[in-house]
Amino acid sequence: METGSSSGRFKLHDKLELQEFQDKYVVKSIESPGQGFSISRHDGNIEPLEEDDHSGSPSKVSTIYGVGGTIRLLAGTYLLVITSQREVGTFLGFPIFLVTSMKFLPCNEALKFSTMQEKKDEAYFVTLLKTVELSPGLYYSYETDITLNLQRRLKLAEGWEAKPIWKQADPRFVWNRNLLEELIEFKLDGFIIPLLQGSFQVAQMNLKDKPAKVALISRRCTRRLGTRMWRRGANLEGDTANFIETEQLMELQGFRSSLLQVRGSIPLLWEQIVDLSYKPQLRTINHEQTSNVVARHFQDLLQRYGETIAIDLTDKQGDEGQLSSAYAAEMQKLPNVRYISFDFHQVCGSSNFNNLQVLYDQISADFEKQGYFLVDAEGNVLEEQRGIVRSNCVDCLDRTNVTQSFLARKSLTVQLQRIGVLTATEDISLFHEDYEKFRTLWAEQGDEISLEYAGTHALKGDMVRYGKQTFGGLIKDAMSALSRYYLNNFQDGLRQDALDLISGRYSVSRNNPSPFQLNSFESLSYLPVASALLIGGLTVTSLTLQQAGRNAQQYVSSVLLAGATAGVMAVIRANGRQFCSRPRLCGLL
């Protein structure tokens, strides 16, 4: 079977040859050379290869490791190929790969016939594609779907693994879902790789001389894909920003266990528009649909995961407090969801990680009742997870990751006690070497998810990795905070456009007006001028102040320059939003 195996399991072509001709690209399997397709470099049309296809000698031949899909822009099609990858471990026995580089191949000969504005627009779209090429945290397998959690996998009908992998996948977690449409249309199942964005970490442990493997896989939802400041809260359908399903898997003595947790932005309509300030103001959007949005979000969780405990880790003062109060008010309308408001910063401060026990004491009975999934070596289901904990802070990164790792440790201990590896009085934290590996899993995962949403490593990583704040961690957190400030203000508008483009939220069409012909001034053009005026004013002011004591005229000049510089600063501050990078393709909701 061309893309199957002796066991009936579907398997993708794992090594491909890319042949470049003057008029087309040809992608074919190295192991099955008759299997493949061509794509025209003139118009992007795809044609499956015929058995007797002989196209002559290509100008270049290279090895690629998969096809991520196609996207049509103004002047033609672009083919996404995986140019390098790295094996990072196994998921339920199947090798998992991380994409380490990918490239869009242009099939856009029609560009020469485009108008000047279309060429300008196409150039910006290509810039967005180059941003997409650098997307972090993309994982896949040639032999199995990795978007489905263990409990859901084992409940599917017999024979589902014989289906093409893209048909097995949960569409919520297929990062390149929009890019696969043409490959699906031409039934190129053996070449269709669903890419998962998130994190995959694995550690080998030796608990009481019993080999165990613990894996952590996080699946990032694509329904409200975006960057930290430009995708906040929920949309009208109830999908939230930075929604992630995290599964902790353990394999030991033939047993397999799984714990699911989810995180996601507060499911209200709210925004936090960058304006050059370090912490832009949070603003809740008053909308007649707000209650329906919250209800839709939790109804979806209830149908997928069961009873839900919603843990809100935001501050109870300031902007965060107002947002948290609005969330709490809406949650009172949902009797089937337990809502816990826990001020993480108030209770835990910056280093009292163990104070999360206060939170655990509030939810322990319900959390233990929700349980976990456990199956023995014969495939008998011994335990099922009957609910989910949904955690959030503002970004759903730092405080959320610390809290989720704490709950995951509690559950792992219970699982090991159930199997009989630990006694009723023992905890995984008593085994120093293995516990260190466990905490590293969660810290690495936190960093990877943070890179995808905020562009930097996670803050409070020390609390996950070591259980306390270290001086080195403080320095790292400070650098990450500064990097977030820069990226949020000056880079994320471009990144948001790139995500809206490849996710299909924005559709390119020649019939639509150019999204880049703005009436207002362009921030990227004015920011260097404003920066030069500000830096120049500060420099000249400081120089003249040094000379001010020599004569009155110099003193007056210094005062005037200082006033002018202060004026420039005031103008920049008052118009901060206009000087920041902002998305141009789609609105906030």
Side-chain angles (χ1 to χ4, degrees), residues 307-319:
E307 292 185 359
T308 303
I309 303 172
I311 299 177
D312 178 15
L313 301 165
T314 54
D315 296 347
K316 303 313 167 215
Q317 296 82 35
D319 287 354

Side-chain angles (χ1 to χ4, degrees), residues 54-74:
H54 299 289
S55 303
S57 299
S59 59
K60 183 180 177 182
V61 177
S62 54
T63 299
I64 58 174
Y65 299 90
V67 178
T70 63
I71 185 167
R72 288 189 179 269
L73 302 181
L74 287 171

Side-chain angles (χ1 to χ4, degrees), residues 8 67 115 135 151 233-234 382 403 455 460 510 537 550 559:
V67 178
T115 65
S135 299
Q151 181 164 321
L382 306 180
T403 303
K460 299 181 176 65
R510 285 178 176 267
R550 296 184 181 180
V559 171

Side-chain angles (χ1 to χ4, degrees), residues 68-292:
T70 63
I71 185 167
R72 288 189 179 269
L73 302 181
L74 287 171
T77 295
Y78 293 77
L79 175 71
L80 179 62
V81 297
I82 299 169
T83 50
S84 67
Q85 37 88 310
R86 173 167 53 89
E87 187 173 341
V88 290
T90 60
F91 174 70
L92 305 175
F94 301 103
I96 304 299
F97 298 88
L98 171 68
V99 175
T100 50
S101 68
M102 52 186 181
K103 185 177 182 181
F104 279 98
L105 304 176
C107 307
N108 62 343
E109 290 294 316
L111 185 62
K112 63 181 73 170
F113 305 113
S114 302
T115 65
M116 285 300 296
Q117 185 60 49
E118 287 173 342
K119 289 179 180 177
K120 187 177 178 181
D121 291 355
E122 187 85 353
Y124 184 79
F125 287 135
V126 170
T127 300
L128 300 183
L129 295 186
K130 292 186 182 301
T131 300
V132 172
E133 289 174 354
L134 302 174
S135 299
L138 297 176
Y139 296 88
Y140 68 94
S141 173
Y142 295 108
E143 300 181 56
T144 192
D145 168 61
I146 60 174
T147 65
L148 298 180
N149 59 66
L150 180 63
Q151 181 164 321
R152 190 172 168 197
R153 289 167 69 93
L154 295 187
K155 288 192 170 185
L156 291 172
E158 190 175 344
W160 70 273
E161 291 175 319
K163 293 181 178 180
I165 289 179
W166 70 267
K167 287 187 177 180
Q168 301 175 26
D170 185 333
R172 292 181 301 158
F173 303 128
V174 179
W175 175 84
N176 56 332
R177 180 170 48 114
N178 181 61
L179 304 180
L180 295 176
E181 291 179 356
E182 284 195 283
L183 299 181
I184 291 171
E185 182 183 340
F186 285 94
K187 297 182 171 57
L188 297 168
D189 293 340
F191 298 89
I192 300 174
I193 295 181
L195 295 173
L196 168 76
Q197 188 176 48
S199 179
F200 180 81
Q201 310 290 331
V202 63
Q204 300 292 336
M205 299 183 183
N206 196 30
L207 294 159
K208 291 188 174 180
D209 296 324
K210 295 179 176 62
K213 185 172 82 169
V214 177
L216 201 58
I217 181 166
S218 287
R219 307 174 174 103
R220 194 172 186 215
C221 183
T222 61
R223 288 181 174 176
R224 189 156 168 73
L225 200 59
T227 58
R228 177 173 173 247
M229 289 301 190
W230 293 111
R231 283 295 173 270
R232 292 298 209 187
N235 59 19
L236 293 174
E237 288 72 42
D239 306 313
T240 62
N242 206 27
F243 184 88
I244 295 168
E245 176 190 277
T246 295
E247 181 175 21
Q248 180 177 278
L249 284 157
M250 181 180 66
E251 298 178 65
L252 187 154
Q253 295 183 318
F255 291 95
R256 287 176 172 175
S257 63
S258 161
L259 174 74
L260 288 178
Q261 298 185 71
V262 295
R263 68 178 77 187
S265 192
I266 289 178
L268 303 176
L269 306 177
W270 61 280
E271 64 183 18
Q272 190 177 18
I273 306 299
V274 290
D275 59 3
L276 297 182
S277 62
Y278 179 72
K279 198 170 183 179
Q281 183 178 7
L282 297 169
R283 189 180 76 87
T284 304
I285 300 171
N286 293 321
H287 197 287
E288 60 183 11
Q289 286 291 314
T290 293
S291 295
N292 291 334

Side-chain angles (χ1 to χ4, degrees), residues 15 61 115 211 237 264 330 413 517:
K15 284 189 179 176
V61 177
T115 65
E237 288 72 42
E330 291 297 336
T413 293
Q517 290 179 314

